[in-house]
Amino acid sequence: MSKKAERRVDSTLSKGLAILETLAGMKSGIGVSDLSREMCLTKSNTFRLLQTLTALGYVRREPDKSYAATLKAWQIGRAVVENLNLRTAASRMMLFLSEETKEAIYLAVRDGLNVVYIDKIESTKPIRTWNPIGGAAPIYCVGTGKALLAEDYRLLRDQVIATLEPFTDRTITDAASLDKDMAATRLRGYGIDSGEFRPNVLSFGAAIHLPNGEAIGALGVSVPDINLGKGDSERIGALVQHAARSVSENLGRL
């Protein structure tokens, strides 16, 4: 950073934000003395900044006289997330996947125990798959859905298991098999649908993450099995994982 840029940084504001970031990362409150040592600030300066943050609602004073962050910063962050245009953020990598695979590319978000497709690029191959924008599929039997389910599997497991039903002879319909598939998905970094929602149609999906690790969507590639050659499954899986990671990194820079 240039000296000119450094002079534009307000010292008081930067110290206040640093205190807020420190408090947000703590599991319990902290006293003024301990916080001042942690921040390498004077006790009086730390106290004044805490008073300002408390008055603005970003910090609260606990009964034991320690200070802790409130949810106000989180609420602001959520408002930013809700205003993100995920389609715009993912568009470049969707084009990348389309150029690399020539297959149908999907952007999906979770809606309860389903995924909904909010954007797509059509396949350019003679034999292709098709799903409309706005179409939905059960979360446990398509690539994008599996990628998102794996992110919150502990929370969603019992609900999903209660809804398992077959769509093809490959659909996972028992808890043990789903547990195994989710473990493999997490280890691999992307979900694979091996013809579990529609016969002879495979799909690969990887989750898109916010900077805090929350999964807010998934990129997917849908492929008729007749289009797959030796090594194509691994190649497409790696491509969709790379694309989703790239979108996640871009979101972190917004």
Side-chain angles (χ1 to χ4, degrees):
M1 182 183 293
S2 69
K3 290 183 179 180
K4 186 176 181 180
E6 288 178 344
R7 286 197 296 269
R8 290 199 297 266
V9 176
D10 184 89
S11 174
T12 301
L13 177 60
S14 63
K15 289 175 183 176
L17 291 174
I19 285 177
L20 182 58
E21 290 176 356
T22 298
L23 292 177
M26 292 184 167
K27 294 182 178 180
S28 59
I30 185 172
V32 176
S33 297
D34 289 338
L35 182 59
S36 65
R37 285 192 292 270
E38 175 81 16
M39 304 300 300
C40 297
L41 298 172
T42 65
K43 186 175 178 180
S44 60
N45 195 8
T46 303
F47 179 75
R48 285 196 299 271
L49 291 168
L50 284 170
Q51 291 298 102
T52 299
L53 289 168
T54 300
L56 294 174
Y58 290 96
V59 170
R60 66 176 181 273
R61 192 182 188 198
E62 304 286 22
D64 63 0
K65 299 184 179 181
S66 66
Y67 289 84
T70 69
L71 290 176
K72 187 171 182 178
W74 175 83
Q75 290 166 345
I76 291 173
R78 285 302 305 174
V80 173
V81 169
E82 289 168 3
N83 288 326
L84 282 175
N85 189 330
L86 187 57
R87 284 186 289 270
T88 299
S91 61
R92 184 174 66 86
M93 294 314 296
M94 290 183 70
L95 285 171
F96 164 78
L97 287 173
S98 177
E99 291 167 358
E100 289 292 324
T101 68
K102 315 300 183 189
E103 301 289 354
I105 311 302
Y106 293 95
L107 175 63
V109 294
R110 184 166 74 85
D111 181 20
L113 299 183
N114 295 309
V115 287
V116 175
Y117 304 112
I118 63 172
D119 204 359
K120 67 178 290 191
I121 298 177
E122 298 286 0
S123 169
T124 59
K125 293 186 175 181
I127 301 175
R128 65 189 72 178
T129 67
W130 185 85
N131 268 314
I133 293 177
I139 198 172
Y140 63 89
C141 57
V142 292
T144 51
K146 288 186 177 190
L148 291 171
L149 177 58
E151 295 289 325
D152 293 309
Y153 190 53
R154 284 187 296 177
L155 294 174
L156 298 175
R157 180 182 183 275
D158 291 345
Q159 298 175 56
V160 173
I161 287 172
T163 67
L164 295 178
E165 62 173 296
F167 291 88
T168 74
D169 59 3
R170 290 178 172 269
T171 307
I172 293 174
T173 56
D174 66 273
S177 297
L178 188 60
D179 289 344
K180 183 177 179 180
D181 188 72
M182 288 295 99
T185 299
R186 288 192 297 272
L187 182 64
R188 191 170 48 233
Y190 58 91
I192 300 176
D193 149 30
S194 58
E196 298 158 45
F197 185 51
R198 291 183 293 168
N200 309 117
V201 174
L202 283 69
S203 64
F204 306 81
I208 297 168
H209 298 91
L210 294 174
N212 66 359
E214 179 185 354
I216 58 165
L219 285 175
V221 181
S222 183
V223 189
D225 61 4
I226 196 171
N227 289 353
L228 288 172
K230 184 177 181 181
D232 281 346
S233 292
E234 292 78 9
R235 182 179 71 88
I236 293 173
L239 285 170
V240 77
Q241 184 180 25
H242 164 74
R245 184 182 295 121
S246 179
V247 176
S248 300
E249 290 171 355
N250 288 337
L251 289 174
R253 291 191 284 268
L254 293 179

